[in-house]
Amino acid sequence: MDVADGSGTDESVTHCSSCGAAMTMLTVIGPTEAIASPCGCHVPPELFRSDYRPN
């Protein structure tokens, strides 16, 4: 399985809830807001919690 070429999937990769891009970092800027990297979308800080499920 190679995630880089799209031939498989990796359940450990978190995807941006706004645009769907793979995220490498989340910068929390407030109690209810964070910025996903590298896409730059504003997302909830809970996105990296293992029990998070988007609506």
Side-chain angles (χ1 to χ4, degrees):
M1 174 173 73
D2 188 353
V3 176
D5 70 6
S7 64
T9 61
D10 185 348
E11 295 297 321
S12 66
V13 173
T14 301
H15 295 275
C16 175
S17 62
S18 293
C19 71
M23 293 177 19
T24 58
M25 185 172 68
L26 188 68
T27 304
V28 178
I29 58 175
T32 61
E33 191 171 12
I35 299 174
S37 293
C39 63
C41 294
H42 287 245
V43 297
E46 297 85 20
L47 196 60
F48 271 127
R49 289 181 46 155
S50 61
D51 61 347
Y52 177 75
R53 299 289 179 254
N55 296 336

